[in-house]
Amino acid sequence: SSAPRRKMSSQTTQRAAILSKSSSTPAPPAVVSTNTFAEANEAELLRACELFAPGSSFALSPTSGGVNNHVRYCDCDDGSRFVVRLYNNGQNTNRVAFEHAVLTAVGPHVLGNDYGFVVPKALKAKSGNGSTFAILPSGDAASVFALIPGALPKTKFAEAVGEATAELSYCLQLAEGEVRSQFQQSPQHQYRNIFGSLVDKGGSKESFYHEMETNPGLQGAVKPAVLNLANMIRDVERQLVIIENSGGLPETLLHGDVHYDNTLCDLSTGRVTGIIDFEFAVFDWRFMEAAVGLSKYVGEPNPLPFVVEYLSGFMRRADWVTDKEIEWLPTLIKLRVLETVVYFVARAVSGEDDISQLALRAENYAKRVTWIEDNAV
């Protein structure tokens, strides 16, 4: 079957453009481009290539991605090229297994609907054991994926990115049953469990607020933005209680991190060629998928055109969206931005990254939330 297509009524269009007021709110400052703080182990990356990639001689070269994990191109002696990933996730093997189960389940639905894009396909181990990831001597997991053509679109083609995100969401809904037959719960915490990434590492809500107030790396010029973020999180906590008390929102299987830096496009045509990085796949509120994509655009100078374009594309392929989901979309976008703040604190506390990753982004994140609040209708 194919995903439903529909034209939006004028009423739906008006309601879907939930952030469409013009505003004089200053645009958020640009985020400094950074990579993961932890150092990659080149020997382990090469070991992963040996386990999965064809041939016996491999050359590694940098990619433009890899904020959380270590990702390299793997060039093989037969001229083929793949992507090798060494996971930097605190050795959470169960989360890797869940990601690969999601990819196995959703891939056929994406191909069967002939959308024109693909999702990552992990190579199986050359040993013949059928595994698509290996645990290396360090305890970290690693995989090798087929190379998907395309480039990161950034803010180009927002409408196409929105449309592809809705199409993927439809396929994930179709794949949900197969994944739930293997996992009763997703290892990745739900977005509405806003402190989950820190709790998973032995922290708590209280320890989060303590870090925001006292961490030496969050003092000085960045301190006002950090304290502002803490207050914004307290406000979203209250809004989440209201949503839950009213019966919650529809839940399904999510990619959990679809945005313009996890989408590949043909820059000459504007068509989406691939959606990558499923490591945050989760059973969660369905409309979080759109909120995640929008959370990136609201961090750009003059976000409004991108927000309208993205929603136009998404809603064209999403006749399953309910009035209640649209009503709470601004809160869901704020939730995504603010959950990321907790995520960076958790990675710093666990030693997976440095707190500078949050310090670099704090002002931008606070301005994103302010823009949402000023422009929601």
Side-chain angles (χ1 to χ4, degrees):
S1 63
S2 62
R5 292 182 180 269
R6 73 164 185 175
K7 294 289 185 182
M8 291 189 291
S9 66
S10 59
Q11 181 183 16
T12 305
T13 304
Q14 183 179 14
R15 291 169 57 254
I18 202 88
L19 303 172
S20 61
K21 269 194 328 186
S22 61
S23 172
S24 58
T25 304
V31 173
V32 177
S33 177
T34 60
N35 287 318
T36 182
F37 175 75
E39 292 296 323
N41 184 327
E42 184 165 322
E44 293 220 313
L45 287 162
L46 287 170
R47 176 58 180 157
C49 296
E50 293 169 358
L51 293 172
F52 295 100
S56 57
S57 177
F58 311 99
L60 301 176
S61 57
T63 69
S64 59
V67 171
N68 301 308
N69 302 299
H70 307 293
V71 183
R72 302 287 187 273
Y73 290 121
C74 167
D75 290 300
C76 304
D77 50 18
D78 65 356
S80 58
R81 168 173 273 196
F82 299 89
V83 174
V84 56
R85 169 190 273 185
L86 180 63
Y87 288 85
N88 178 34
N89 64 3
Q91 301 185 350
N92 190 337
T93 303
N94 199 34
R95 209 171 87 189
V96 178
F98 186 83
E99 173 193 352
H100 285 240
V102 171
L103 289 171
T104 299
V106 78
H109 292 294
V110 173
L111 290 175
N113 281 290
D114 195 24
Y115 292 132
F117 67 85
V118 297
V119 298
K121 185 175 180 59
L123 303 189
K124 292 185 177 180
K126 290 190 285 190
S127 67
N129 67 4
S131 177
T132 55
F133 67 90
I135 307 302
L136 301 180
S138 65
D140 293 327
S143 297
V144 175
F145 293 92
L147 183 66
I148 300 175
L152 299 177
K154 296 301 180 180
T155 56
K156 295 179 181 178
F157 320 128
E159 186 172 349
V161 172
E163 186 170 3
T165 302
E167 291 167 341
L168 176 64
S169 180
Y170 174 76
C171 291
L172 286 164
Q173 292 173 56
L174 296 178
E176 179 183 0
E178 180 179 339
V179 178
R180 282 196 186 273
S181 71
Q182 303 171 61
F183 294 85
Q184 288 187 331
Q185 293 183 321
S186 43
Q188 172 68 16
H189 70 274
Q190 297 173 316
Y191 275 107
R192 60 188 184 269
N193 178 13
I194 191 168
F195 301 105
S197 57
L198 187 56
V199 171
D200 289 346
K201 300 179 189 303
S204 64
K205 168 181 170 178
E206 292 73 23
S207 66
F208 167 77
Y209 286 119
H210 180 75
E211 286 291 325
M212 293 289 278
E213 292 174 6
T214 65
N215 190 295
L218 299 178
Q219 307 303 312
V222 75
K223 188 65 177 287
V226 170
L227 295 180
N228 195 12
L229 286 169
N231 286 329
M232 290 170 169
I233 290 172
R234 291 184 178 98
D235 181 61
V236 164
E237 282 190 86
R238 291 187 285 269
Q239 294 178 50
L240 290 173
V241 171
I242 295 172
I243 297 175
E244 294 281 21
N245 288 345
S246 68
L249 296 170
E251 181 174 316
T252 190
L253 177 63
L254 303 189
H255 174 291
D257 202 30
V258 184
H259 48 70
Y260 61 60
D261 279 336
N262 280 335
T263 305
L264 298 173
C265 289
D266 181 332
L267 298 185
S268 65
T269 65
R271 289 189 59 85
V272 173
T273 58
I275 296 177
I276 60 175
D277 289 357
F278 279 66
E279 68 169 319
F280 297 107
V282 63
F283 299 123
D284 206 342
W285 286 339
R286 180 175 61 186
F287 213 33
M288 281 303 305
E289 209 79 279
V292 169
L294 289 166
S295 74
K296 292 283 280 190
Y297 293 114
V298 300
E300 296 293 332
N302 189 24
L304 186 60
F306 305 126
V307 169
V308 173
E309 290 172 27
Y310 179 94
L311 280 170
S312 176
F314 190 98
M315 295 301 292
R316 185 181 305 121
R317 302 307 302 270
D319 66 346
W320 33 263
V321 175
T322 65
D323 291 352
K324 187 175 181 182
E325 287 173 301
I326 292 173
E327 175 189 355
W328 285 104
L329 180 57
T331 294
L332 299 184
I333 303 171
K334 289 190 287 185
L335 174 60
R336 157 62 184 204
V337 175
L338 296 171
E339 189 275 341
T340 306
V341 173
V342 181
Y343 171 76
F344 279 118
V345 170
R347 285 178 69 85
V349 168
S350 67
E352 293 170 35
D353 259 326
D354 187 82
I355 197 63
S356 63
Q357 296 283 11
L358 174 57
L360 286 167
R361 296 166 167 85
E363 184 180 353
N364 178 272
Y365 285 170
K367 294 239 176 160
R368 290 190 205 192
V369 175
T370 298
W371 189 91
I372 296 162
E373 292 172 344
D374 288 348
N375 288 274
V377 294

